Amino acid sequence: MQIARDILLRSYRSMRTIRDFEERLHVEFATGEIPGFVHLYCGEEASGVGVCANLTDTDTIASTHRGHGHCIAKGVGVDGMMAEIYGRSTGVCRGKGGSMHIADLSLGMLGANGIVGGGPPLICGAALSHKLLKDGGVAVAFYGDGASNEGSTLESLNLATVWQLPAIFVVEDNGYGEATGASYAVAGTQKARAEGFGMPYYECDGTDFFAVYETAGEAIKRARAGEGPAMVHVHLSRWYGHFEGDSMSYRIDGEVARERAERDCLVNFRRRTTEAGLLDAAALDEIDAAVKAEVEQSVVSAKAAPTPEDADLLKDVYVAY
Ligand SMILES: Cc1ncc(C[n+]2csc(CCOP(=O)(O)OP(=O)(O)O)c2C)c(N)n1
Ligand SMILES: [Mg+2]
């Protein structure tokens, strides 16, 4: 498949932005200035970006507790995100959502979610709305191998087929739910689950942007054409702890180092695009430098921004319909 140069450049920029944003948060979180928990998406960048490169602003996504990457992939700006994670009033949710409830409805980013298995039901609602409004939109839920065991997820697979929704279930399988291995905790296979609910199953290497883009693209294309839901099972690896502060004693020696050395989506993307003459290294270097400066600036701005006023405590929290 030939992918347009502008999509390649935009996708590389998105993956690089996620990597730098998360690596920077890893450092910043350790200072104790960031409230709450953060769960980093490093190592998983090609999944969110490969899926979202097939989406428009009309399409909707629901994310997880590990949501920064999905936000960036859907186009949310790093300034508003960093300020949000710092709990500042300039944040994309005015500092009231934080890392685990960061959202930007104007871009169809329905939110990170502290409830494991919370995203799949949300996209059934969003997909039903796309279907009834006939706006051509598709709704995508990202969820983990752990969340794949939640009743809410299994009910959503059922509902999506019953209602023939333009809904895509992206299982981001990093092999662990907190410290529990998927090989221990997940019975049967994701494929059997999808097929058991009557929807097609796709799978791909989540560290290969091209594989994710093409595989998710097929599922999204058929959903957009009114052919119903699908599951996309993405195999990937998380490079940091479940949350920042997790010592990862449950991972075998050298496991993460090997993943970093052999399955780095950015390194693989650069090698593939430059060797094939699709992009030149200078263009990628330019993106690297621009993103570095952008992320740096987002930290400076976030730290300088005010926290919300006490008087605004209940504003922007509840929506009256
Ligand atoms: C309903 C619910 N149960 C349990 C938790 C605690 N919890 C937070 S993240 C997590 C593991 C999720 O694993 P997975 O879905 O594989 O996502 P990953 O962290 O690997 O990205 C658990 C059990 C929660 N937040 N919500
Ligand atoms: Mg997991």
Side-chain angles (χ1 to χ4, degrees):
M1 184 201 255
Q2 190 71 25
I3 305 176
R5 184 182 153 85
D6 66 315
I7 295 180
L8 290 176
L9 286 172
R10 209 174 333 122
S11 299
Y12 180 77
R13 186 179 182 117
S14 239
M15 292 195 291
R16 172 58 71 196
T17 304
I18 298 170
R19 175 73 54 84
D20 283 15
F21 191 87
E22 300 290 66
E23 296 276 18
R24 189 59 196 261
L25 271 180
H26 176 68
V27 173
E28 294 299 323
F29 191 79
T31 68
E33 275 182 79
I34 295 176
F37 266 138
V38 297
H39 304 80
L40 302 182
Y41 194 65
C42 272
E44 308 191 6
E45 298 88 346
S47 172
V49 173
V51 171
C52 290
N54 289 284
L55 302 179
T56 69
D57 287 356
T58 308
D59 298 320
T60 37
I61 65 165
S63 174
T64 68
H65 54 286
R66 201 175 299 293
H68 310 156
H70 304 136
C71 266
I72 291 171
K74 197 70 173 64
V76 184
V78 294
D79 260 349
M81 285 184 62
M82 193 61 88
E84 185 59 36
I85 291 166
Y86 269 86
R88 305 304 164 115
S89 61
T90 51
V92 67
C93 304
R94 305 208 168 108
K96 294 170 190 169
S99 165
M100 256 188 285
H101 295 283
I102 193 164
D104 188 343
L105 302 190
S106 69
L107 292 168
M109 197 311 178
L110 301 182
N113 205 317
I115 310 293
V116 170
L122 287 180
I123 65 133
C124 287
L128 180 62
S129 150
H130 290 308
K131 184 170 174 165
L132 295 178
L133 293 172
K134 297 190 173 54
D135 63 8
V138 169
V140 177
F142 292 96
Y143 60 98
D145 45 285
S148 76
N149 291 338
E150 293 287 347
S152 55
T153 301
L154 299 164
E155 289 175 44
S156 301
L157 296 176
N158 183 62
L159 198 58
T161 300
V162 169
W163 286 351
Q164 279 299 288
L165 297 175
I168 307 294
F169 297 88
V170 178
V171 191
E172 295 194 317
D173 188 348
N174 57 19
Y176 297 92
E178 294 199 351
T180 307
S183 56
Y184 168 79
V186 180
T189 61
Q190 301 295 344
K191 182 172 193 282
R193 292 178 185 199
E195 290 172 354
F197 287 106
M199 68 177 70
Y201 168 86
Y202 300 85
E203 70 181 322
C204 57
D205 175 357
T207 64
D208 176 350
F209 165 81
F210 290 86
V212 179
Y213 179 77
E214 286 168 21
T215 309
E218 263 186 63
I220 291 168
K221 194 167 153 208
R222 54 177 298 292
R224 229 187 261 297
E227 291 171 40
M231 180 187 288
V232 182
H233 184 184
V234 182
H235 301 275
L236 28 78
S237 169
R238 93 168 130 70
W239 287 3
Y240 285 105
H242 168 65
F243 56 89
E244 279 309 272
D246 168 10
S247 62
M248 289 205 282
S249 55
Y250 49 89
R251 297 189 78 164
I252 51 174
D253 283 349
E255 180 183 337
V256 175
R258 196 185 56 246
E259 291 288 343
R260 281 180 180 260
E262 294 171 8
R263 296 179 79 212
D264 183 329
C265 62
L266 285 162
V267 170
N268 293 343
F269 181 99
R270 179 181 276 261
R271 188 184 307 125
R272 178 156 170 185
T273 52
T274 51
E275 282 177 7
L278 298 170
L279 297 175
D280 53 296
L284 298 174
D285 292 344
E286 209 176 292
I287 291 173
D288 288 351
V291 167
K292 191 162 184 267
E294 195 186 4
V295 170
E296 173 62 33
Q297 184 54 44
S298 74
V299 176
V300 173
S301 307
K303 286 184 175 177
T307 51
E309 298 289 333
D310 289 355
D312 293 334
L313 192 64
L314 296 179
K315 285 192 194 147
D316 315 307
V317 178
Y318 298 105
V319 177
Y321 291 102

